[in-house]
Amino acid sequence: MANIFALITGLIFGFGLALSGMTHPEKVLGFLDVAGQWDTSLLFVLCGAVGVTVVSFRFITKLKAPVFAPIFRLPESNAIDKPLLIGSALFGTGWGISGYCPGPAVALLASPNWELWVFLPAMLLGYVLHWYLFKPQAQKSAAAAPENTKAEPPTCG
Amino acid sequence: MALSNIANALLGGVLIGGAATLFFWLTGRIAGISGVIASLLFFKERLWPALFLSGIVAGAAIFYALGGSAPVPRGSFPLWLLAFSGVLVGFGTALARGCTSGHGVCGLGRLSLRSLVATLTFLSVGLLATFVVRHIFGVV
């Protein structure tokens, strides 16, 4: 059942991304380009999205369990550490260069052009690089953790 | 700037936030795209990430089928720069464990300080990167 809702919520998410203008990398760059003709419209995407989650998540986190799963899977770390800062800076650099972030890169499979066929494989390569560089650590911590957490992905992003 | 741009941005944002809300309420998971991609690539539970990502593609496809505008590729954007930015986005979001959706939409919604710091970092570095690429190197 949860799987069906994964599909449905993904569908709403993808429609929202496309409607909002986030799947236009040039529009994203227009938003990030404060020194050019600054296009502020994408500020409203963030406001709209966070405006909803900041209210709804307050109520949801008070529930004992989600509807179709035994527990909520929240990120374990609250640390503001080097990986967070360096990772976010690297992501910001890539985002600011091309105007693509992961969600729109996936959504654009609905209307791919040559840019996506360069960006998307490169992005996946980035995930693979990270996995092989940091996998030993992940396995170590997974081995130390209870068994059922072993196959658990990083719960964020 | 056209008013319809703002209306679409706001409505699109509300749909994104609404989808993240439903996903969290129903499945107990954070709708962070980079995390979902990592799940699909590296972890055993592949069905729900595959369905969620397929849903995203289908949702965008519906929008384009209804006449919504799809992006047109830039004529002169250097290929190597596009590839370089792709690796940075993949590696960076994996390292920070979150992107615009995970830290931005969901993390800020949870009032997470960690996500606020991440969001401010990628936004400010993004502004700087765009400035350097567009105004110093003149790439558009």
Side-chain angles (χ1 to χ4, degrees):
Chain A
M1 200 62 182
N3 288 326
I4 295 167
F5 282 103
L7 183 70
I8 294 169
T9 50
L11 201 120
I12 301 168
F13 201 110
F15 189 89
L17 270 177
L19 174 66
S20 70
M22 285 290 290
T23 57
H24 284 258
E26 284 185 278
K27 204 169 167 56
V28 173
L29 292 181
F31 166 65
L32 292 174
D33 188 8
V34 288
Q37 285 190 318
W38 193 27
D39 177 356
T40 52
S41 65
L42 290 194
L43 205 56
F44 293 86
V45 184
L46 192 67
C47 292
V50 177
V52 171
T53 56
V54 84
V55 176
S56 66
F57 278 37
R58 278 181 73 90
F59 291 102
I60 296 169
T61 45
K62 280 180 187 152
L63 301 172
K64 280 185 186 138
V67 180
F68 297 115
I71 50 160
F72 287 105
R73 296 179 187 274
L74 290 172
E76 290 138 35
S77 172
N78 291 316
I80 294 162
D81 49 14
K82 269 191 205 164
L84 181 80
L85 295 172
I86 296 169
S88 297
L90 292 175
F91 165 45
T93 307
W95 193 41
I97 289 174
S98 66
Y100 289 97
C101 59
V106 171
L108 277 170
L109 281 170
S111 177
N113 60 50
W114 72 265
E115 283 192 19
L116 188 75
W117 296 127
V118 176
F119 182 87
L120 193 62
M123 183 178 88
L124 296 179
L125 177 67
Y127 286 112
V128 172
L129 274 176
H130 174 268
W131 178 256
Y132 283 103
L133 280 172
F134 293 96
K135 190 181 163 193
Q137 283 178 350
Q139 278 183 333
K140 253 183 244 165
S141 60
E147 215 175 34
N148 61 345
T149 60
K150 200 169 179 179
E152 195 50 37
T155 36
C156 202
Chain B
M1 179 179 25
L3 197 65
S4 65
N5 274 353
I6 295 179
N8 285 350
L10 195 61
L11 185 59
V14 167
L15 286 176
I16 294 168
T21 297
L22 275 176
F23 191 70
F24 187 44
W25 179 51
L26 296 171
T27 71
R29 293 177 190 276
I30 294 289
I33 309 302
S34 64
V36 178
I37 295 172
S39 299
L40 181 67
L41 290 176
F42 306 118
F43 294 92
K44 281 178 197 161
E45 276 185 61
R46 289 210 160 95
L47 183 59
W48 72 264
L51 287 170
F52 184 70
L53 296 176
S54 305
I56 287 181
V57 179
I62 291 171
F63 177 77
Y64 299 137
L66 291 175
S69 76
V72 180
R74 290 159 279 200
S76 58
F77 201 85
L79 195 137
W80 70 269
L81 203 55
L82 201 55
F84 178 60
S85 89
V87 175
L88 287 178
V89 168
F91 190 88
T93 56
L95 189 62
R97 293 194 165 193
C99 56
T100 13
S101 49
H103 281 311
V105 176
C106 297
L108 294 186
R110 291 173 55 230
L111 305 178
S112 155
L113 183 63
R114 176 176 153 87
S115 289
L116 179 66
V117 170
T119 305
L120 292 177
T121 305
F122 66 66
L123 262 178
S124 50
V125 176
L127 292 173
L128 191 69
T130 301
F131 181 81
V132 170
V133 169
R134 282 199 161 178
H135 299 286
I136 295 181
F137 292 108
V139 178
V140 177

